Amino acid sequence: MVDYHAANQAYQYGPNSGGGNGAGGGGSMGDYMAQEDDWDRDLLLDPAWEKQQRKTFTAWCNSHLRKAGTQIENIDEDFRDGLKLMLLLEVISGERLPKPERGKMRVHKINNVNKALDFIASKGVKLVSIGAEEIVDGNAKMTLGMIWTIILRFAIQDISVEETSAKEGLLLWCQRKTAPYKNVNVQNFHISWKDGLAFNALIHRHRPELIEYDKLRKDDPVTNLNNAFEVAEKYLDIPKMLDAEDIVNTARPDEKAIMTYVSSFYHAFSGAQKAETAANRICKVLAVNQENEHLMEDYERLASDLLEWIRRTIPWLEDRVPQKTIQEMQQKLEDFRDYRRVHKPPKVQEKCQLEINFNTLQTKLRLSNRPAFMPSEGRMVSDINNGWQHLEQAEKGYEEWLLNEIRRLERLDHLAEKFRQKASIHEAWTDGKEAMLKQRDYETATLSDIKALIRKHEAFESDLAAHQDRVEQIAAIAQELNELDYYDSHNVNTRCQKICDQWDNLGSLTHSRREALEKTEKQLETIDQLHLEYAKRAAPFNNWMESAMEDLQDMFIVHTIEEIEGLISAHDQFKSTLPDADREREAILAIHKEAQRIAESNHIKLSGSNPYTTVTPQIINSKWEKVQQLVPKRDHALLEEQSKQQSNEHLRRQFASQANMVGPWIQTKMEEIGRISIEMNGTLEDQLSHLKQYERSIVDYKPSLDLLEQQHQLIQEALIFDNKHTNYTMEHIRVGWEQLLTTIARTINEVENQILTRDAKGISQEQMQEFRASFNHFDKDHGGALGPEEFKACLISLGYDVENDRQTGSMDSDDFRALLISTGYSLGDAEFNRIMSVVDPNHSGLVTFQAFIDFMSRETTDTDTADQVIASFKVLAGDKNFITAEELRRELPPDQAEYCIARMAPYQGPDAAPGALDYKSFSTALYGESDL
């Protein structure tokens, strides 16, 4: 016999205590009762509540006892012998109890009550602190507690709406049924019913012809309550269990009395519950379909916008029309940087979010047994990826082209300036030379003058030969400008051609004048050797000084510290030759002084100038002074450039230091995410939390990337094009960062989809871990996908019988594996090929973990099917093969009713009625043709 006097139980029955757990709640009666407020057994019953409970419980018992031809008058007296208590339990359960004892002694009564209590306990009810002795002794509190327990078990426990507990389910049922009625707000089972409108609303919702609800007044609760009680008793066979005056005059009506009476309405209208259940199923299916359609529309719109942006951007990146100046090309480079910093990053996020939305949509479609979503032509994820790849190829080529163009224009500007400088020097030297060569002064000159003219001409020819290199340099620079497509090549070529033509003309004139002078050479007798020696040494020295001045003023362009140090070394070498040059200058001047001394000592009257050269000591001294001035200027220019190159080297090292940290960090994070995606550490929620923390740590690293971008900006502004201190370029870092963000987002989405799959299919955490462990075991290369043979082995390891397309169910997985090994079991090719077509619809030869989970969840869980939805519509249609718009509007919420009406085809069967709609083809279409 059950021990009804457990001394240490926490539960004690009272006015605020609860009852058993409903079927939908998943617990025992004790669990449900433990959720209610406790009632201390030592406290007295509230008189008003006790009165309400006595009347309600008595009426409830009599509503069942009258079926056996009897009733009770006093609830705590009439159950004392246990006979009517056993009879009540037989009537409400439909089962036979043990034969009662008919004796009048106390022991007979206790035995009968114990038989009744044993029967209640056999139904899973824990009767704590309620014993047979209290019932036999007429303990009102315990008797009411026992009857309430019976009511909970047999009248309320099986009430469940949307998987709630019994009490919550009954309350939710009342709320839904009374929701359309004004002045009704059911929140509990006590004061929400005091004005009587809720009772009338329940009746009117199911039997509108019995109640004129619009004529009821909230300020007349007694009339409202009596109206509902009388109509329920007269038309619904629900006995009057409550008194209107007691409810109105009680601050808080007894909850158990109200629940008992309301449960009678629930059971009276249970016939309509089947239709409500069917309507709920249909609403759920339609809501899923509507949500999926919205997701499809959003995907199409977002995909179109992204593809249109790519279509507009690629032609801009493929435009390779060069500009004429560095400034214009640098503006193009700045526009490209603005695109990389401002315009592209949001599109990277859009692309990633689009892929995530697409995967989530496909998961939802699979979970609801809907056909996979196929985007419209040209908007597939692969189309977006192809367009994105084309975009990034165009980006890379565009940036390389911009930098090469800037280098080319920089080189062109340098060459053009060098051409103009050398051309100006040459033109200044040739000025007047043609006129000089055309003079016929030798015709009237003396012999000494003729000899002087010959020597002068020889000096000129030496000078002319010395200038040959400059002319060749000018021509070479012009040729290089042409080859590099310099925009002002026409003027350069014109000027170069003029110089070359003039040079040829000078050569011809020089040759002609020499021939003329040589004709009179026989007339020449003497020549002042000192002047001749002076002229011969002064001319090359003068040319050396001119070349030195030209070199000291020559423009230079370098890109590395090594190049500028080479120029500085060459300049130092030049400065080391200056003492020798100074000695040569003094020697040349000494020759001139010696000639003057001899003339003076011999009273020779000189004409005042050296007839063999125009290079006077004053010119030599002036040019030497100029060289002396240009040397420190050259020193300063080289030091400035050296400082600039040192700054550039600092920028290179600064960028390299940061890049050499960021690059490996990104690679390490990529590898860690790869490991996380195949490991099983904790629940899916733990993994999701870990991944999101990981994502936050990645986002927090963004300032390091921004710092690198700033350093890269400084490098580009300084026109630095190479960096030997690092193998990482900004392009590598950007691509790696974008891949890292995309990978962590996709990994989070995969876990979210697994949670969605688990929750939607009711997969336990243990099952999910077993699926992941099996998948990882056969994923030998940790690539996140299984080949066909690996997938087949994985199915076998989980006990999946591919031959019969079902779970074995008769043995655990270890026993099943042993059986497979011992019998040499092999999977059927036809069935396995069918499964592969489900998990690998694109025939890629690989099965992802998400596809594997979707397949296993379909095989191990129960989901809505087309047949179930058809059956639900059939209930709403009153067992007809069609349904009408009026029926849909009556049974479904307005938006879902109109959704069905707009999509259902007219019914074409022989029993069709006007306005008949075909719900079967509509239901089948929701799940795809495969469910036909």
Side-chain angles (χ1 to χ4, degrees):
M1 180 178 296
V2 178
D3 181 7
Y4 300 111
H5 300 278
N8 298 318
Q9 298 293 332
Y11 170 79
Q12 295 183 359
Y13 176 81
N16 296 325
S17 66
N21 194 348
S28 67
M29 278 291 290
D31 295 334
Y32 172 74
M33 294 172 70
Q35 296 173 13
E36 303 295 321
D37 299 329
D38 292 342
W39 177 14
D40 194 312
R41 62 180 294 178
D42 297 327
L43 297 179
L44 295 176
L45 280 169
D46 182 286
W49 284 1
E50 182 180 356
K51 178 181 178 182
Q52 291 177 9
Q53 287 186 19
R54 282 179 177 276
K55 180 175 179 62
T56 302
F57 291 0
T58 299
W60 183 85
C61 292
N62 286 336
S63 70
H64 294 286
L65 288 172
R66 69 187 180 187
K67 299 175 184 176
T70 186
Q71 64 178 16
I72 61 173
E73 298 295 335
N74 189 325
I75 196 167
D76 51 346
E77 291 293 332
D78 293 348
F79 285 139
R80 292 179 62 182
D81 60 6
L83 296 176
K84 288 188 178 180
L85 178 59
M86 294 177 69
L87 182 60
L88 174 65
L89 292 172
E90 287 186 346
V91 172
I92 62 178
S93 70
E95 301 179 26
R96 296 292 294 178
L97 269 70
K99 186 176 180 180
E101 299 180 14
R102 296 296 180 178
K104 302 296 184 180
M105 297 177 65
R106 177 179 174 82
V107 66
H108 298 140
K109 296 178 181 180
I110 289 176
N111 288 340
N112 287 338
V113 173
N114 272 330
K115 290 176 182 179
L117 296 178
D118 287 344
F119 179 78
I120 296 173
S122 71
K123 299 302 180 182
V125 180
K126 294 181 181 178
L127 292 167
V128 181
S129 300
I130 300 177
E133 289 82 357
E134 286 89 345
I135 306 301
V136 172
D137 292 341
N139 186 315
K141 177 179 178 181
M142 294 302 169
T143 303
L144 290 173
M146 178 189 66
I147 298 302
W148 172 241
T149 301
I150 294 172
I151 292 171
L152 280 176
R153 173 60 183 85
F154 294 101
I156 297 177
Q157 179 179 338
D158 292 334
I159 299 174
S160 178
V161 178
E162 291 190 355
E163 302 183 357
T164 59
S165 68
K167 178 180 177 181
E168 293 170 345
L170 183 59
L171 184 63
L172 180 58
W173 178 79
C174 295
Q175 290 171 339
R176 287 185 173 178
K177 294 302 181 182
T178 61
Y181 295 87
K182 63 181 181 180
N183 296 327
V184 177
N185 183 17
V186 177
Q187 298 298 324
N188 49 55
F189 285 112
H190 36 81
I191 60 176
S192 294
W193 304 83
K194 285 189 66 173
D195 60 11
L197 292 178
F199 291 111
N200 285 275
L202 277 181
I203 299 172
H204 184 270
R205 178 65 183 270
H206 296 91
R207 296 289 299 277
E209 74 278 5
L210 301 180
I211 298 286
E212 293 183 280
Y213 186 84
D214 292 339
K215 293 185 178 180
L216 300 176
R217 299 190 353 254
K218 186 175 180 62
D219 59 358
D220 191 4
V222 174
T223 300
N224 297 340
L225 289 166
N226 284 329
N227 181 67
F229 297 162
E230 291 167 3
V231 169
E233 187 171 39
K234 183 176 180 181
Y235 297 102
L236 303 177
D237 198 25
I238 298 175
K240 186 177 180 182
M241 301 182 187
L242 304 169
D243 282 330
E245 290 77 6
D246 290 343
I247 294 176
V248 173
N249 295 329
T250 302
R252 187 176 185 271
D254 181 59
E255 186 177 58
K256 297 173 180 58
I258 299 293
M259 281 182 65
T260 301
Y261 188 51
V262 171
S263 69
S264 299
F265 284 89
Y266 178 88
H267 292 294
F269 297 133
S270 61
Q273 194 66 25
K274 185 177 181 182
E276 181 178 357
T277 300
N280 287 340
R281 180 186 292 276
I282 292 170
C283 289
K284 178 181 176 183
V285 171
L286 294 179
V288 170
N289 218 57
Q290 288 173 307
E291 181 184 0
N292 291 341
E293 288 182 357
H294 288 315
L295 290 175
M296 293 175 191
E297 292 170 1
D298 289 342
Y299 174 87
E300 291 282 346
R301 175 178 54 77
L302 291 174
S304 296
D305 292 345
L306 184 56
L307 286 169
E308 175 60 22
W309 178 81
I310 293 173
R311 185 192 64 78
R312 293 195 313 268
T313 305
I314 287 177
W316 173 66
L317 294 172
E318 292 179 341
D319 180 10
R320 301 292 196 273
V321 177
Q323 301 299 313
K324 292 182 178 181
T325 65
I326 290 180
Q327 291 74 20
E328 291 173 319
M329 290 305 298
Q330 285 177 332
Q331 183 58 50
K332 276 183 170 287
L333 181 60
E334 185 59 33
D335 292 342
F336 178 73
R337 290 171 182 157
D338 189 64
Y339 154 81
R340 294 295 293 268
R341 289 193 306 265
V342 179
H343 300 291
K344 186 184 176 187
K347 298 303 178 182
V348 173
Q349 295 299 321
E350 287 180 17
K351 177 177 177 291
C352 178
Q353 191 61 47
L354 191 66
E355 293 176 359
I356 290 174
N357 291 350
F358 180 84
N359 293 335
T360 300
L361 172 60
Q362 298 293 37
T363 299
K364 289 186 175 182
L365 290 171
R366 287 192 297 271
L367 293 177
S368 56
N369 287 342
R370 304 306 199 274
F373 169 55
M374 182 62 66
S376 57
E377 183 70 24
R379 294 187 178 91
M380 300 284 290
V381 173
S382 58
D383 295 322
I384 295 173
N385 287 335
N386 290 337
W388 194 263
Q389 185 178 10
H390 188 186
L391 175 75
E392 291 185 331
Q393 289 174 348
E395 276 183 16
K396 187 175 185 300
Y398 188 68
E399 187 173 35
E400 291 176 351
W401 173 77
L402 284 174
L403 295 176
N404 288 334
E405 273 299 305
I406 290 175
R407 293 190 191 101
R408 185 181 69 84
L409 290 175
E410 184 185 42
R411 173 67 176 162
L412 282 175
D413 283 354
H414 172 69
L415 287 174
E417 181 61 28
K418 193 170 185 177
F419 173 84
R420 287 189 289 271
Q421 186 184 56
K422 287 185 177 295
S424 297
I425 293 172
H426 177 76
E427 288 166 347
W429 178 83
T430 59
D431 184 45
K433 295 296 189 291
E434 289 185 2
M436 182 268 292
L437 291 173
K438 292 178 180 179
Q439 288 180 359
R440 302 181 67 84
D441 50 353
Y442 54 84
E443 294 179 351
T444 58
T446 64
L447 183 59
S448 60
D449 292 336
I450 292 299
K451 290 183 179 292
L453 289 177
I454 290 175
R455 301 299 182 268
K456 182 180 179 181
H457 188 70
E458 288 175 349
F460 173 76
E461 286 182 327
S462 176
D463 199 9
L464 186 67
H467 280 272
Q468 177 70 32
D469 287 341
R470 182 180 291 113
V471 175
E472 291 175 354
Q473 289 175 8
I474 291 171
I477 293 172
Q479 179 63 28
E480 189 171 359
L481 287 171
N482 280 293
E483 291 173 354
L484 293 175
D485 195 23
Y486 182 53
Y487 75 94
D488 198 23
S489 293
H490 174 71
N491 290 332
V492 169
N493 291 336
T494 301
R495 189 173 184 180
C496 181
Q497 188 61 47
K498 182 179 179 182
I499 289 172
C500 291
D501 292 343
Q502 185 186 43
W503 185 255
D504 292 339
N505 190 36
L506 285 176
S508 298
L509 291 174
T510 299
H511 180 71
S512 299
R513 182 171 177 83
R514 183 176 183 83
E515 287 181 346
L517 291 174
E518 286 177 350
K519 288 181 182 180
T520 59
E521 187 177 7
K522 292 179 180 180
Q523 302 172 17
L524 301 178
E525 294 178 351
T526 62
I527 188 170
D528 189 342
Q529 293 299 322
L530 289 174
H531 279 185
L532 180 59
E533 184 181 358
Y534 171 90
K536 287 183 178 181
R537 294 181 69 173
F541 184 72
N542 182 62
N543 286 334
W544 176 86
M545 287 192 296
E546 287 182 349
S547 296
M549 288 188 292
E550 182 179 346
D551 290 340
L552 289 171
Q553 298 177 82
D554 190 19
M555 296 180 63
F556 57 85
I557 179 170
V558 294
H559 295 96
T560 66
I561 189 70
E562 291 79 10
E563 291 178 358
I564 188 60
E565 287 175 352
L567 289 179
I568 291 174
S569 176
H571 182 61
D572 290 341
Q573 223 173 10
F574 166 76
K575 289 192 293 183
S576 69
T577 66
L578 290 179
D580 291 339
D582 191 35
R583 285 190 289 272
E584 175 67 10
R585 177 182 68 84
E586 289 177 351
I588 293 172
L589 294 178
I591 293 173
H592 177 73
K593 290 178 180 178
E594 180 64 16
Q596 287 185 329
R597 187 189 65 78
I598 293 172
E600 290 174 357
S601 63
N602 294 286
H603 305 288
I604 299 172
K605 187 177 183 180
L606 299 176
S607 61
S609 63
N610 191 324
Y612 305 115
T613 181
T614 60
V615 180
T616 66
Q618 291 79 13
I619 292 176
I620 291 176
N621 286 331
S622 174
K623 289 184 178 180
W624 178 254
E625 185 179 352
K626 180 68 174 177
V627 169
Q628 293 293 93
Q629 293 172 352
L630 289 175
V631 167
K633 290 182 179 179
R634 184 72 168 183
D635 284 335
H636 180 69
L638 290 172
L639 289 176
E640 278 191 342
E641 184 62 30
Q642 184 183 40
S643 176
K644 174 185 173 183
Q645 290 304 321
Q646 288 173 343
S647 174
N648 288 354
E649 183 68 9
H650 173 71
L651 291 176
R652 288 189 183 96
R653 292 181 181 275
Q654 179 178 262
F655 175 84
S657 175
Q658 184 72 2
N660 289 337
M661 288 192 297
V662 174
W665 184 89
I666 291 175
Q667 181 63 33
T668 300
K669 294 302 177 185
M670 288 290 290
E671 294 171 356
E672 290 176 356
I673 293 171
R675 287 196 299 272
I676 291 173
S677 66
I678 63 173
E679 292 175 352
M680 298 180 300
N681 294 323
T683 65
L684 290 176
E685 284 76 7
D686 293 338
Q687 296 177 36
L688 182 61
S689 176
H690 186 197
L691 285 170
K692 287 189 175 179
Q693 290 177 358
Y694 216 79
E695 184 181 38
R696 285 193 292 273
S697 73
I698 290 173
V699 173
D700 292 342
Y701 197 73
K702 182 64 163 56
S704 297
L705 196 74
D706 294 338
L707 175 60
L708 194 62
E709 285 282 6
Q710 294 170 6
Q711 294 170 350
H712 180 64
Q713 174 81 6
L714 295 176
I715 279 182
Q716 289 200 326
E717 288 174 355
L719 296 177
I720 300 172
F721 302 113
D722 56 355
N723 193 339
K724 66 181 180 181
H725 304 297
T726 181
N727 293 325
Y728 292 100
T729 67
M730 197 63 230
E731 178 64 24
H732 294 153
I733 298 294
R734 290 190 192 110
V735 171
W737 178 255
E738 292 171 3
Q739 289 177 346
L740 180 61
L741 291 178
T742 301
T743 300
I744 188 63
R746 286 174 177 166
T747 306
I748 288 174
N749 180 245
E750 179 183 347
V751 176
E752 289 173 339
N753 285 341
Q754 291 175 26
I755 293 174
L756 185 63
T757 301
R758 181 199 66 193
D759 294 343
K761 298 299 185 179
I763 300 174
S764 68
Q765 184 65 34
E766 291 74 16
Q767 283 179 302
M768 185 64 75
Q769 289 178 343
E770 183 180 5
F771 293 158
R772 170 55 86 177
S774 297
F775 187 91
N776 287 347
H777 176 75
F778 292 100
D779 184 13
K780 303 299 184 183
D781 61 355
H782 304 297
L786 302 180
E789 293 304 319
E790 293 173 330
F791 177 57
K792 182 185 293 186
C794 187
L795 290 180
I796 293 175
S797 75
L798 291 170
Y800 189 84
D801 185 355
V802 181
E803 290 286 357
N804 298 314
D805 191 21
R806 62 178 176 82
Q807 293 295 112
T808 60
S810 60
M811 59 185 73
D812 63 25
S813 59
D814 290 336
D815 292 337
F816 185 70
R817 294 187 190 101
L819 178 62
L820 290 172
I821 295 170
S822 66
T823 58
Y825 182 77
S826 62
L827 304 181
D829 290 340
E831 178 59 25
F832 183 70
N833 289 337
R834 182 193 70 79
I835 294 174
M836 282 299 295
S837 68
V838 173
V839 297
D840 182 22
N842 296 325
H843 306 293
S844 65
L846 294 173
V847 181
T848 66
F849 181 66
Q850 186 61 46
F852 170 69
I853 285 296
D854 291 340
F855 172 75
M856 294 306 297
S857 65
R858 285 197 296 272
E859 297 299 318
T860 57
T861 59
D862 182 28
T863 58
D864 291 327
T865 64
D867 289 340
Q868 290 174 327
V869 176
I870 290 172
S872 298
F873 273 117
K874 193 167 187 177
V875 171
L876 300 186
D879 210 34
K880 301 190 299 294
N881 291 324
F882 60 84
I883 195 167
T884 65
E886 181 181 356
E887 290 170 331
L888 288 170
R889 292 189 177 102
R890 183 179 70 238
E891 300 293 344
L892 298 180
D895 60 333
Q896 295 187 334
E898 298 306 322
Y899 179 83
C900 292
I901 293 169
R903 287 163 173 76
M904 282 187 182
Y907 177 68
Q908 303 294 339
D911 55 340
L917 300 173
D918 187 352
Y919 61 78
K920 291 184 179 179
S921 60
F922 171 75
S923 301
T924 302
L926 290 177
Y927 291 87
E929 294 297 323
S930 61
D931 282 304
L932 280 173

